[in-house]
Amino acid sequence: MKIRYLLLLITGLSLFLGGCYDEDKAVPSGDYSPVRFEFPQGNESWDKLFEQMYDDFGICVIYKDFTPGDLNKNWTISAGGDWTGHPVPDDHMPKYEDLLKNYLIPFLGKKEIVEACSPLYLYLAEDLGGGMASYGMDLGVNLKGLDFWAIGLVDTIKIIYPYEGVEDFRKGLVSFVYNQIVENAVVKGLVPEPNDFQSGIDYKTEVEKSDVEDPNYYATRGFVGLITYSEPGVAFCCIFSWSDYWYGNIEQMVTAKGGDFMMFTRAAMRWTKEEFEEKFPPEKYPLVNARYKMVVEQFKNYGFDLPGFAKKVKELPTPF
């Protein structure tokens, strides 16, 4: 345990001195100590899983001994200081163990990428909520911490407009975490765009959004569409915002973070190969299917299984 504590100290100090895992962050607010816990926190089966998770991905899962102050260590005061949550009781831990073991870990990529795209700590905190929790926002997921992310199921928080089944929103918890790691990998260039990804693609002529017979129809042109991501706290109900037509334009897609590559990355996290082909039949849209395959294979080269995640996560209940 002392060896792991020393490793965490070294890791925490290096993250702090190097600007943590996000080089765009500013100066941290509040008191800060890079190592605040002994790890692992016990000898149960989930503790052994968390040890392995730290060894494999550099993520330290903490589920007890934290305080409200730990949940409110932010890079800026504007990030908010009103998050609350409590440690997970042992009889609830098997659900979190299953969530991380079967729905997150198998689909992550190489350690050096995951470690660079996620913070040191992942808190499991039940009844996790911020100032807008009663309105169904800032609820269950906080990805804006100084050196941590936090996720947790909701039990006693009273929501003004309650969502049926919100107390078991495991699908959302794991989806937000996985999505953020993968998107960070794209933005940081750690998973680069495939070499031939832009081959034969016209990024200047505007697309047709609704007429499927038009030669400029977006899918015919090789585009998957403008798939936007809703951050936790902004839209608790959904991971990706999508319409059955392209509601954006070429400029929006090109200037989005990660550009066209990000759109296909999000598509691969949402749809399996079979689901993608149902939406975009290969015989009708060969180019968009070829690009989807390129992206899936590129992430596989770096250890990530995006369609595998898309398939597995659908096993989890969701209130939406």
Side-chain angles (χ1 to χ4, degrees), residues 295-307:
V295 171
V296 169
E297 291 300 318
Q298 180 74 332
F299 272 93
K300 280 187 177 179
N301 292 336
Y302 292 88
F304 291 88
D305 182 3
L306 304 192

Side-chain angles (χ1 to χ4, degrees), residues 56-57 108-115 301-304:
D56 292 346
F57 304 110
L108 291 173
K110 296 180 179 180
K111 178 178 181 177
E112 60 268 25
I113 297 178
V114 176
E115 195 168 24
N301 292 336
Y302 292 88
F304 291 88

Side-chain angles (χ1 to χ4, degrees), residues 107 178 182 264-265 268-269 295-296 299 304-311:
F107 311 104
Y178 189 75
V182 170
F264 275 86
T265 298
M269 282 191 283
V295 171
V296 169
F299 272 93
F304 291 88
D305 182 3
L306 304 192
F309 175 79
K311 180 178 181 179

Side-chain angles (χ1 to χ4, degrees), residues 10-295:
I10 294 171
T11 303
L13 284 171
S14 65
L15 287 172
F16 178 60
L17 295 174
C20 199
Y21 68 97
D22 190 339
E23 68 273 13
D24 296 328
K25 298 291 187 180
V27 178
S29 64
D31 296 330
Y32 177 72
S33 172
V35 177
R36 301 186 290 282
F37 311 95
E38 286 202 8
F39 179 79
Q41 295 188 297
N43 297 302
E44 302 292 344
S45 59
W46 48 85
D47 294 297
K48 293 178 174 57
L49 174 69
F50 300 159
E51 278 191 89
Q52 192 63 51
M53 190 171 175
Y54 176 73
D55 289 341
D56 292 346
F57 304 110
I59 298 174
C60 182
V61 180
I62 299 297
Y63 61 94
K64 60 183 178 181
D65 299 333
F66 58 82
T67 68
D70 292 311
L71 296 176
N72 289 284
K73 293 180 183 296
N74 300 300
W75 282 101
T76 62
I77 294 175
S78 62
D82 50 4
W83 284 87
T84 59
H86 58 76
V88 182
D90 281 355
D91 61 333
H92 291 192
M93 280 303 299
K95 183 173 285 191
Y96 291 92
E97 179 183 15
D98 172 68
L99 184 65
L100 298 181
K101 180 179 180 180
N102 296 311
Y103 296 90
L104 178 65
I105 291 174
F107 311 104
L108 291 173
K110 296 180 179 180
K111 178 178 181 177
E112 60 268 25
I113 297 178
V114 176
E115 195 168 24
C117 296
S118 58
L120 175 59
Y121 294 116
L122 175 63
Y123 293 149
L124 306 181
E126 294 213 320
D127 276 341
L128 178 68
M132 299 293 288
S134 61
Y135 294 94
M137 299 186 290
D138 292 344
L139 187 66
V141 182
N142 179 5
L143 303 184
K144 297 181 179 179
L146 174 61
D147 61 351
F148 72 90
W149 291 339
I151 61 173
L153 297 173
V154 177
D155 183 21
T156 62
I157 293 178
K158 302 300 182 184
I159 304 174
I160 295 176
Y161 305 104
Y163 301 110
E164 183 179 353
V166 72
E167 68 279 356
D168 193 13
F169 190 39
R170 286 175 290 160
K171 180 178 180 181
L173 304 188
V174 72
S175 294
F176 276 121
V177 170
Y178 189 75
N179 177 82
Q180 195 64 58
I181 291 172
V182 170
E183 292 211 4
N184 285 347
V186 171
V187 173
K188 291 172 179 285
L190 298 175
V191 177
E193 185 177 287
N195 290 333
D196 297 326
F197 184 70
Q198 296 188 22
S199 179
I201 302 299
D202 175 3
Y203 287 102
K204 295 182 179 180
T205 305
E206 194 53 76
V207 296
E208 166 58 37
K209 303 174 185 179
S210 56
D211 183 359
V212 297
E213 301 304 324
D214 191 299
N216 282 316
Y217 183 60
Y218 71 91
T220 305
R221 289 263 302 276
F223 295 110
V224 74
L226 186 67
I227 305 175
T228 58
Y229 167 57
S230 297
E231 293 185 1
V234 177
F236 178 68
C237 65
C238 53
I239 308 303
F240 300 117
S241 175
W242 175 264
S243 296
D244 286 331
Y245 61 91
W246 185 336
Y247 54 88
N249 54 47
I250 285 284
E251 183 181 3
Q252 286 176 294
M253 186 275 298
V254 172
T255 57
K257 267 192 176 181
D260 196 18
F261 181 36
M262 183 69 84
M263 300 305 113
F264 275 86
T265 298
R266 290 173 176 170
M269 282 191 283
R270 176 170 182 172
W271 297 305
T272 65
K273 178 177 180 291
E274 293 74 21
E275 290 168 336
F276 190 86
E277 290 180 350
E278 182 178 355
K279 187 170 186 64
F280 302 101
E283 63 277 5
K284 189 170 184 178
Y285 306 113
L287 186 53
V288 78
N289 277 271
R291 303 183 82 207
Y292 171 87
K293 183 178 179 180
M294 281 186 203
V295 171

